[in-house]
Amino acid sequence: MIGDNPRVPPSPQDRYYLNGKFTAQRTTGVQRVAAQHLRALDAMGQALPGRWTLLCPPGVALPRLRHIEARTLGRRRWPLHLWEQTLLPWASRDGLLVNLAGAAPWAARRQAVLIHDAAVFDHPEAYTRSFVVWYRRLFAHLARHAERLLTVSAFSRQRLALHLGLPRQRLAVVHNGADHLEGVEPEPGLVEGLGLTGCRFLLAVASDNPTKNLAALVAAYASLPPAPDLRLVLVGGRNQRVFAAGGMTADPPGVMRTGPLGDAALVALYRSAVALVFPSTYEGFGLPPLEAMGCGCPVLAAHAAALPEVCGAAALYADPSSISGLAQAMQRLLDDGALRERLRAAGHAQARRYRWAEASAALLRALRAERSP
């Protein structure tokens, strides 16, 4: 077992390797977090201690970095899971491997892992059986052997500590940032291209994971009084290899599913929507509400999991298990302009509390701290 005794903090000459598997994946929440930490760490410049290398799978366009070396690991394309479990631990054997997107190799000699949530323990029904079995075993192994364990909220720390049998201080909390959409110009013509000109619309940004509670959201929308100019726009994709089937029925009139969208399109929708509705029953952190707040979009969030911790007093809350409660909160936002303005102002202030530069500075402190017993 690595590190039964507290380890002396690394010297400035220590080697750090970043698990670059996320660079070969479609961007969802955990890939977003890893990419933003990479950018913020590189921006530290000469203040970044030690030597840092980003190890990427073959076939990936290496990101342009000034202070972190980016290197392709391997000469031919492997399945990403196999690449991570075999080549990566060997290539990082002389340093600390930093895994920022949830997964990590089983056999790395020294590693730090950012585990975003305990959903495979708390909501196994949301995932395929093979996914649950693998990640439960991996997280239990990492709890015993990883040199550093990190997570993104006090809620996730409490749940992971419970399921993994750890003292809470074994998990350092490093909140995410939320300023990655600043400076992104809205995609021209996006709202018009979706046929939303002249419409009011509520927005949801989430993968089709059962814990995102989209079925309840659609049912709540369908129960609202008829309004010809009202739409519900759902942005996000689905990964059948990860998530269990959600049993979604045919959408009622007025519901539009766009699939995954890029940042410029998201900014256009956040700026034009009446509100973001985020009814998740389970979140380790929850980036979309803060993204929306930063773009001036009022937020209706579920009073569940980490969302009250992250959104604070800047969101309107509803019980995600109550379709009527969700519908009433949605109607309130549609009808009350003064409420929307209050939430817009509070949201701007809340989003400013979460900066990637500060998040990565906290990450670096956690990596270099002595291990808690």
Side-chain angles (χ1 to χ4, degrees):
M1 178 171 176
I2 295 173
D4 285 334
N5 299 311
R7 181 179 177 272
V8 176
S11 75
Q13 298 306 313
D14 270 12
R15 294 223 54 171
Y16 297 86
Y17 294 93
L18 290 163
N19 180 348
K21 186 176 80 168
F22 69 91
T23 62
Q25 297 174 309
R26 181 172 63 85
T27 298
T28 60
V30 296
Q31 291 82 17
R32 167 86 73 182
V33 169
Q36 292 301 319
H37 273 305
L38 172 65
R39 180 178 299 180
L41 288 167
D42 188 59
M44 291 182 185
Q46 298 302 319
L48 187 65
R51 297 172 58 195
W52 291 72
T53 302
L54 173 70
L55 298 174
C56 297
V60 170
L62 296 178
R64 294 184 178 182
L65 302 169
R66 296 184 61 190
H67 300 281
I68 295 175
E69 176 191 4
R71 178 157 57 88
T72 298
L73 176 60
R75 296 182 179 179
R76 61 183 178 87
R77 293 193 181 187
W78 293 43
L80 287 178
H81 178 75
L82 188 60
W83 176 89
E84 183 176 57
Q85 295 300 319
T86 56
L87 296 186
L88 193 60
W90 177 85
S92 60
R93 64 194 182 282
D94 63 336
L96 180 70
L97 177 62
V98 181
N99 306 276
L100 298 174
W106 186 281
R109 188 177 70 86
R110 293 179 56 208
Q111 63 180 326
V113 187
L114 180 61
I115 303 176
H116 294 254
D117 58 53
V120 292
F121 299 100
D122 286 332
H123 285 281
E125 74 283 357
Y127 303 91
T128 62
R129 177 172 173 76
S130 59
F131 187 89
V132 170
V133 169
W134 165 249
Y135 275 96
R136 282 187 173 185
R137 290 177 178 173
L138 177 63
F139 290 167
H141 175 80
L142 294 172
R144 297 190 301 272
H145 297 284
E147 194 163 304
R148 297 287 185 274
L149 292 175
L150 309 100
T151 192
V152 294
S153 65
F155 169 79
S156 284
R157 177 171 65 179
Q158 188 270 331
R159 300 307 298 167
L160 286 166
L162 174 67
H163 289 295
L164 297 174
L166 297 171
R168 281 188 295 177
Q169 63 268 27
R170 175 80 164 92
L171 291 129
V173 174
V174 178
H175 285 137
N176 295 328
D179 52 325
H180 47 273
L181 295 184
E182 289 184 4
V184 176
E185 291 298 321
E187 182 176 322
L190 186 279
V191 173
E192 293 81 1
L194 292 176
L196 295 170
T197 304
C199 296
R200 299 175 300 155
F201 66 92
L202 298 164
L203 177 66
V205 177
S207 60
D208 198 4
N209 175 342
T211 63
K212 301 300 182 180
N213 207 26
L214 295 182
L217 172 59
V218 170
Y221 171 80
S223 73
L224 296 176
D229 67 333
L230 182 62
R231 303 287 186 272
L232 174 63
V233 179
L234 307 178
V235 177
R238 177 172 179 79
N239 187 339
Q240 294 181 345
R241 292 178 299 176
V242 174
F243 301 126
M248 188 73 74
T249 58
D251 290 327
V255 176
M256 173 184 298
R257 294 178 184 267
T258 69
L261 294 177
D263 287 353
L266 278 178
V267 170
L269 292 175
Y270 282 140
R271 291 187 182 181
S272 301
V274 174
L276 174 79
V277 185
F278 201 72
S280 293
T281 58
Y282 194 88
E283 292 287 336
F285 186 84
L287 272 177
L290 291 178
E291 291 177 343
M293 290 176 184
C295 292
C297 181
V299 171
L300 165 59
H303 197 280
L307 292 174
E309 175 186 345
V310 170
C311 296
L316 178 66
Y317 291 99
D319 178 356
S321 67
S322 170
I323 291 174
S324 63
L326 283 170
Q328 289 170 12
M330 292 159 68
Q331 191 65 56
R332 184 180 172 194
L333 275 171
L334 289 166
D335 293 341
D336 193 338
L339 171 62
R340 294 197 301 271
E341 288 304 311
R342 288 198 301 273
L343 291 176
R344 192 172 284 116
H348 271 303
Q350 185 72 2
R352 285 196 295 269
R353 296 178 57 197
Y354 295 89
R355 316 296 292 183
W356 282 112
E358 295 172 7
S360 292
L363 170 69
L364 192 58
R365 290 193 298 271
L367 293 178
R368 295 177 60 78
E370 292 190 5
R371 171 172 164 172
S372 297

